[in-house]
Amino acid sequence: GLLLTSCAAWYLGCLFAGLIPKETITKPIANLQDIGKKPVLRAPDPKRQKCDHWSPCSPGSYAYRILSGGGTEKMAKICFEDNLLVLECCFTTDRFLPPFPLISVINLPFRVIECCVIDSTDHSREMVTFIKNAPEGSLLLMVTHDDGSTQLKNDAKKLVEELGSKEIWNMKFRSSWAFIAAKGFKLPNDIQTEKINHSDKNNRYGGWPAEIQIEGCIPRNLI
């Protein structure tokens, strides 16, 4: 009787195994195994902020970020309200390294009105004219890549100094420099407006200065 019962049980098991789909059995078993496991907590993917800020600007502010060039491959960038102004209207394709300083003029409320790439070896006077022609109530965002100082005349430096720069007279050959200024109104004292870094033959760029950046949030109600 025991032998017959064992044979019958084995036969019925094989029969049911062939008739019942595999998923019907494996899913409940997998669910039972998951009950004993500790839950895995996963942090949500970080939300990207305007101009790649770590923390968002308030709804009543403009986000900006200015990055100088680094070496021959990392190009300078000017970002305002998540718009890469350099890429939109300033780079040219006929030269591997565009001449710098580079200036973007933004008329508030936010509207890019003009960008200009200044070749400091030839066109210091053009830089003066460009800045003087920028309308009142506008922002000027400036950055260098390669050399922005060798042929930059004193009248251009004085004009940038009048805009609030404290480092324009300290620029040396291939210094990295980033600056944001307001024409016709005053920027808050607690925002980062300028930074400079000089070339170093011992760094990874071999004579080129390392890239620098400034960023912050500008209140919309300044003008």
Side-chain angles (χ1 to χ4, degrees):
L2 181 60
L3 181 61
L4 290 175
T5 303
S6 300
C7 292
W10 174 81
Y11 177 78
L12 290 175
C14 293
L15 181 62
F16 281 115
L19 296 176
I20 299 176
K22 185 178 180 181
E23 292 79 6
T24 305
I25 300 174
T26 56
K27 285 185 178 180
I29 295 176
N31 293 335
L32 290 173
Q33 292 174 342
D34 290 339
I35 294 176
K37 294 181 180 180
K38 294 182 179 180
V40 178
L41 300 178
R42 295 182 179 178
D45 294 334
K47 183 180 179 181
R48 183 186 172 278
Q49 308 299 337
K50 289 181 179 179
C51 293
D52 293 322
H53 281 202
W54 283 106
S55 57
C57 292
S58 66
S61 298
Y62 295 113
Y64 72 90
R65 192 182 195 194
I66 307 174
L67 298 93
S68 73
T72 59
E73 297 182 357
K74 289 193 174 182
M75 309 305 289
K77 297 178 182 178
I78 294 178
C79 180
F80 192 86
E81 279 295 280
D82 224 21
N83 292 271
L84 278 175
L85 309 184
V86 175
L87 299 179
E88 288 180 356
C89 54
C90 296
F91 273 171
T92 56
T93 58
D94 57 341
R95 293 182 58 174
F96 176 66
L97 285 177
F100 282 92
L102 182 148
I103 307 174
S104 290
V105 178
I106 299 172
N107 198 15
L108 300 181
F110 174 42
R111 182 167 65 92
V112 180
I113 58 174
E114 194 167 5
C115 291
C116 180
V117 179
I118 305 293
D119 188 337
S120 63
T121 60
D122 298 320
H123 304 300
S124 183
R125 185 179 301 177
E126 291 182 14
M127 180 175 176
V128 171
T129 302
F130 183 84
I131 293 175
K132 287 184 176 180
N133 289 339
E136 297 291 309
S138 61
L139 290 169
L140 290 88
L141 296 85
M142 309 182 191
V143 69
T144 58
H145 189 189
D146 200 344
D147 179 49
S149 66
T150 303
Q151 297 297 325
L152 197 61
K153 305 293 192 244
N154 286 344
D155 56 344
K157 293 181 180 180
K158 184 172 178 57
L159 185 59
V160 175
E161 181 184 34
E162 291 173 354
L163 290 171
S165 172
K166 294 179 172 55
E167 301 288 355
I168 188 64
W169 293 96
N170 297 326
M171 287 183 63
K172 302 176 183 178
F173 178 68
R174 283 183 174 171
S175 292
S176 287
W177 175 68
F179 177 55
I180 182 171
K183 189 173 183 181
F185 63 100
K186 189 176 183 301
L187 292 174
N189 294 325
D190 59 346
I191 69 171
Q192 188 179 27
T193 59
E194 189 174 25
K195 193 172 183 180
I196 195 169
N197 182 35
H198 304 295
S199 60
D200 183 359
K201 293 183 179 180
N202 296 321
N203 68 18
R204 58 178 174 160
Y205 296 113
W208 290 72
E211 66 271 24
I212 59 171
Q213 70 177 39
I214 60 174
E215 66 179 33
C217 305
I218 300 176
R220 296 174 180 257
N221 59 355
L222 292 180
I223 58 173

